[in-house]
Each structure stands twice: as structure tokens, then as C-alpha cells.
Amino acid sequence: MKDQPRIAPEIRGLLEEIAADPRSDLRLVPRKPLRAWFERGESAPTSAIATTRAERHLVEEHRESLAALLCEAAWLAYWKAPVLAHRPVDAEGKLYDPAEREPRWRARGERFGRTRSINEGTDLLRGVLGRLDAGNAHALAVASLQLVPSDRTRCYVALTIPWDRPRSAAHFFRRLSQTAWPIPLRSQALESLGARLCSLGLYYQAREAYRAVPDATPRSPYGLVCSTTLSCLLGDPRALTVESRRLDAVARSMDEPMQEELALLRTWADTLPASLRTVARNTREQVSGELSELGQAITEVFGT
Amino acid sequence: MDSGRSRSEGSAATWPGFLRGQSSDEIFCRLREHDPLRLRESAARRLREVWYLLEPERVFLRSLAVVAEHARLDDPPADLAAWARSKVDVAIERLLRLDLEAERTRPGVLTDEERDFPLLIESLRVEPESVRRVAVAFNALDAPPRRAFFELLIEGKEVGPVIEAGPWDMDELYRSIHAALAVFGLDIPVTPDPVRGKENA
């Protein structure tokens, strides 16, 4: 036992300080490293596992599988008729392709459908395996959430709320932007919150939502793209210049996702009243010499 | 699409015998008895690599369930070991989320399994009723505080080598371990600085 390492004295000193604090939950300071709790090899006796506990994990996992299939179905259904949404990009920079994902989801769903049925969610899954429409998206997300609560699914529930109910969606997204876990979900919630606020004409609030996106995902350019766009729309040349410079630091200029984003912005800008687009064009004129290529391209969504 | 055909078209790999069965229950029982994928060991090791406070036995049981379930749903992978490791990650993610949701919806009400966390109860003397709250708070931390806690307390590494190998200087390591230990109910003064040494006190 002498050879075993001991916790470094500096750290032990800190622990003792913690244990002495009456508010602390720590009541005793460990003297040795705690690695033994994380060193489980083959020697641990399987017979010691409580059977009911083990079986419960399997039942829960079956439920998780169904919830995941319903959630993915909601996501696939959503992308059959997306509303001004940019497709997610994976770690390699590849755009999400629902046409590529749907056959794999369908194969997994059919395999699941052949196993035991646990509730009405299975019937719902079997139904959409036959035909998956955009109109199913919200019901699928809700069914998934009822099976397994998770913030990711809550985001899908909010995302699939029809666009004629923007305040309900904004309420959900605002809450998710503050509490969702894992943290990157918060930036997705903020982007969606911004979009719903824009649909309500609340451009200043929307800009604030977009400006908060980099706090949750510093490398994502989309929040900055949208806040830059809104600064132009709101007649704020100073913010437009500052934000477009910040954007240059994180954006891969004019790659495929960015081109898709600009196309979405053009579609959205075309729906705006002519008076607002005129304001945006005037704002750009004031600072056009200070904008990078990307900043210029963003402001051109309002017309040249 | 015929799923059997899609399996064979998708990859030339096949499932080993112990991952074939009429139901996930059957596969689960087999895995639990022999642990041919060494999931118990993988679960414990992976927790040390990603610095999450979860009871390793619980991660092992959930990993068995994830593997049993996904062996019925997934295409056979080309690299079975890598596939199994990815399922341990799925199990960890599931349990992190379950604990978070449980803490949100029924704070202070713990199941027997949630209460069964010897690392926190026996070694750190956290009250059983508090273990889930402490673990959820710890697991919500950014990676540096979690890593500092694992390397200094779990692995028992010396401060110097931890600074040398990590993404931090001495001040950052101090802030990280401080943040990690704060979830145990601590709000101690900034000085004295135990990592920097007594000369700063």
C-alpha cells in the first residue's frame, strides 16, 4: 500500500478547506486517488448484478430506441417542407441530406417494428413508415418527447410548431436557449428564436437572439450572418461594420452552406416591404467600402 | 425496402453469433453473462477519458442494453470494437440526460440505483440524497474542470505533470479544479491559492 500514489498535497489542502466549509456536501477528504472506482475489469462478478436493475435498463433502452426513431422521423418530416431553415452541417462540413438519411431510418424502423410493441408510439411509427409527410412532424416530435424527455426533442417539438403560431414557438425557444443541454442546443434554439421573432416583425429582439448564438457555439457563423443582416435592415451601419468583421473571423467564405444560407436570406428579404429593403440598401451604401466580400454578399440580399 | 436485403447490401460484415438472436432480451442475457465485448472495462475506461461522474456499473448495464438493442436495429459494422465503443458513448449520453431530467422533475427523490454511487458516498462522503444533484452539476461543467478533477483526484496525478500535459497554466488549472470542487457545495475565498503554493497566501 505504501507504493500507491497519494493525492497531491496542494489539492488535498483545497479539499480539506472544502470539507471544513459548513455549506459543503463533502464531509471527508480522500487520501488516495479514487481510480479504483473506475477500474472495472473482467473480474467483477456478473452474478452480483441485480437482475431487475439490469432488465430495467433494457426496457428503458427499448423505449429510447422508439423515441429516437420517432424523433428522427420528425426531423425527416420537417425537412420535407422546411421554412427558412438552413440545413445543419456535420463535423466534416457536409450538409445534412434528408434523402440520404431516410432509407437508413426506414430500415431501422422496420426492424424495430418487428420487435415487441410497447405502446401507441409503435403504431405511430408503423404508420409513418408507410408514408412520412411534413404534416406528421409535430405529432412525431411530441410522441417522442412523451416517451423520453430530452431537450433535443423539445427543440424539435418547438421547431415543428406551425408558423402561424410564432409566439408559442418563441416561448419554447426562449426557454430552451437558456436551459437546454447539451449546450450547443442553445445556439440552435437561439437561431430558431430569432427566426420566429423576425416573423413577428420584432427585428431588434431577433438581432439580440442571433447575437447570443456565438456564446453557445463560438465557431458557428450563422448567428453572426443573421445579426449582420438585421443590422443592415435596422439602419445600423456601425453594428453592420463591426458584425461583418467578426463574421470574417469565423466564416469559411462562400462555401456551400454559406451559399445556401444567403439563398435563404434572399428568399426572406423578398417577403419584406419595399420600404424596409430601401432602408437596408441605404445602410449598405454608407459602409460599403468597409465590408468584406462576405459582408457585401450578405447586404446584397436586399437587392443591389 | 426489405431490411434483410439492405443489411447485406450495406456491408459485407456480419454479426458475430453472440449478437444474433430473436430478441434484444436474448442478446442482452448473453452479453450480461459473458461480456464478450468487454463492455464493463470499456465503460469504466471511457468515463476516465471523457471525465464524467457516473457510476461505472450503471454505465456498464446501460451499455449492455444499448448494444443488445442496436444489434437488432443497426447494420453489422465493419469494425465491431469501434461500434461497441460508440455504444458505450451512447450509454453515457443517455444516463447524463436521464439524470438531468430526473433532477429537473423530481429533485431530491432518488431511485435505489441513482442513490447507489459508492465513489461519491464512500470516498467523498456526499450524502446519498445529494449524489445525483452533485453529479448532474459536475457533469454540466465544461471539460477543463471535469478533467482537472479526474486527473488530480481520480487518477492522483501530481500538479506539475497535469499542467505539463493539459491545456492550462497553473492559474487556469486552479480555476478549473476550483470550479469542479465548487459543485460539492463550496464557495471558498480566492486566496490562499492551494495550487500555487503557500507563498501566495
Side-chain angles (χ1 to χ4, degrees):
Chain A
M1 298 297 279
K2 271 185 182 175
D3 295 337
Q4 281 204 351
R6 302 180 80 82
I7 290 173
E10 308 95 304
I11 300 305
R12 192 168 158 77
L14 181 57
L15 287 170
E16 281 166 354
E17 207 171 335
I18 296 172
D21 190 301
R23 293 160 294 176
S24 172
D25 288 322
L26 187 61
R27 293 186 287 126
L28 194 73
V29 174
R31 292 179 179 279
K32 292 173 187 160
L34 311 174
R35 184 174 170 139
W37 296 111
F38 291 87
E39 281 181 333
R40 310 291 172 86
E42 291 171 288
S43 57
T46 307
S47 59
I49 299 167
T51 302
T52 51
R53 198 176 281 187
E55 286 172 348
R56 205 184 64 244
H57 278 283
L58 186 59
V59 170
E60 286 179 358
E61 191 50 38
H62 197 66
R63 179 182 285 263
E64 290 270 1
S65 294
L66 178 54
L69 284 163
L70 291 170
C71 195
E72 188 171 358
W75 186 233
L76 289 164
Y78 172 78
W79 283 103
K80 289 179 184 289
V83 181
L84 293 176
H86 65 80
R87 286 187 288 158
V89 179
D90 66 18
E92 284 81 45
K94 193 177 166 201
L95 281 163
Y96 175 78
D97 181 2
E100 182 191 326
R101 298 290 287 270
E102 185 165 343
R104 277 187 274 163
W105 163 78
R106 199 169 288 282
R108 296 176 71 246
E110 284 170 356
R111 287 170 204 153
F112 185 92
R114 288 197 291 268
T115 65
R116 62 191 166 177
S117 176
I118 56 175
N119 67 5
E120 69 276 7
T122 313
D123 295 334
L124 180 60
L125 177 67
R126 286 186 181 127
V128 293
L129 282 170
R131 182 184 169 86
L132 182 61
D133 293 322
N136 302 127
H138 190 63
L140 286 162
V142 170
S144 176
L145 187 64
Q146 285 170 344
L147 278 170
V148 176
S150 88
D151 286 339
R152 188 175 304 282
T153 312
R154 289 186 182 101
C155 279
Y156 289 161
V157 169
L159 190 68
T160 53
I161 290 175
W163 279 74
D164 59 1
R165 290 167 52 202
R167 289 180 197 282
S168 298
H171 171 75
F172 280 115
F173 282 126
R174 198 180 296 282
R175 199 167 56 187
L176 287 163
S177 71
Q178 293 160 354
T179 61
W181 188 89
I183 301 293
L185 281 177
R186 295 181 192 180
S187 66
Q188 294 169 28
L190 284 164
E191 287 176 11
S192 296
L193 173 63
R196 297 289 182 149
L197 291 171
C198 279
S199 77
L200 287 163
L202 300 172
Y203 300 120
Y204 281 98
Q205 288 183 38
R207 183 170 66 167
E208 288 312 302
Y210 287 126
R211 281 177 171 173
V213 170
D215 295 339
T217 47
R219 289 183 185 170
S220 171
Y222 299 111
L224 274 170
V225 168
C226 294
S227 62
T228 304
T229 309
L230 287 177
S231 290
C232 188
L233 182 72
L234 290 166
D236 189 344
R238 190 172 168 188
L240 169 59
T241 313
V242 171
E243 282 166 334
S244 70
R245 282 186 192 140
R246 286 178 60 201
L247 180 59
D248 288 338
V250 294
R252 284 175 287 185
S253 58
M254 296 309 165
D255 56 8
E256 189 187 359
M258 188 59 73
Q259 286 179 31
E260 189 166 301
E261 181 73 6
L262 290 176
L264 280 172
L265 286 173
R266 272 191 290 275
T267 305
W268 166 74
D270 287 345
T271 67
L272 297 172
S275 57
L276 283 179
R277 280 183 280 147
T278 302
V279 170
R281 285 197 293 270
N282 290 340
T283 311
R284 184 188 64 221
E285 288 304 314
Q286 294 175 50
V287 292
S288 61
E290 300 171 49
L291 298 177
S292 65
E293 183 192 2
L294 184 54
Q296 197 72 32
I298 288 170
T299 56
E300 282 173 2
V301 302
F302 297 106
T304 51
Chain B
M1 181 187 292
D2 174 70
S3 58
R5 194 170 65 236
S6 75
R7 277 184 170 205
S8 57
E9 284 171 1
S11 124
T14 55
W15 290 112
F18 59 85
L19 288 176
R20 287 188 213 144
Q22 292 302 308
S23 67
S24 51
D25 306 53
E26 182 186 334
I27 298 168
F28 181 77
C29 289
R30 208 179 289 138
L31 290 173
R32 210 181 119 199
E33 198 171 338
H34 302 296
D35 190 15
L37 292 169
R38 301 167 69 95
L39 291 170
R40 187 190 300 274
E41 193 182 328
S42 294
R45 188 179 55 242
R46 190 63 181 149
L47 286 171
R48 298 203 315 266
E49 291 170 351
V50 293
W51 316 301
Y52 282 122
L53 270 183
L54 291 168
E55 163 50 31
E57 188 70 10
R58 189 170 166 232
V59 177
F60 165 61
L61 290 179
R62 180 52 68 119
S63 299
L64 291 179
V66 171
V67 166
E69 185 71 11
H70 282 248
R72 297 275 300 145
L73 301 178
D74 292 0
D75 289 320
D79 184 342
L80 185 65
W83 178 84
R85 282 196 299 275
S86 76
K87 299 312 169 199
V88 172
D89 283 344
V90 171
I92 290 172
E93 188 272 335
R94 298 261 206 263
L95 294 175
L96 291 173
R97 180 169 41 73
L98 273 173
D99 285 352
L100 175 69
E101 292 289 342
E103 198 55 30
R104 284 174 176 172
T105 55
R106 47 180 175 89
V109 181
L110 280 72
T111 63
D112 287 345
E113 188 184 57
E114 289 166 343
R115 212 184 296 262
D116 184 7
F117 203 154
L119 164 69
L120 293 188
I121 293 169
E122 293 174 25
S123 294
L124 296 173
R125 296 288 172 166
V126 174
E127 295 285 355
E129 288 70 28
S130 300
V131 293
R132 193 184 61 209
R133 176 178 58 74
V134 167
V136 166
F138 179 90
N139 291 331
L141 293 170
D142 289 336
R146 301 196 326 264
R147 177 174 176 177
F149 181 89
F150 264 75
E151 296 200 349
L152 294 169
L153 270 84
I154 305 291
E155 307 277 2
K157 293 180 182 171
E158 293 291 326
V159 171
V162 170
I163 292 170
E164 198 63 37
W168 35 40
D169 59 20
M170 194 173 279
D171 288 338
E172 288 162 344
L173 177 61
Y174 174 69
R175 279 196 294 275
S176 291
I177 191 66
H178 199 288
L181 293 172
V183 303
F184 293 91
L186 176 70
D187 186 14
I188 60 169
V190 174
T191 56
D193 182 335
V195 171
R196 293 175 74 93
K198 287 184 179 170
E199 68 276 14
N200 291 332

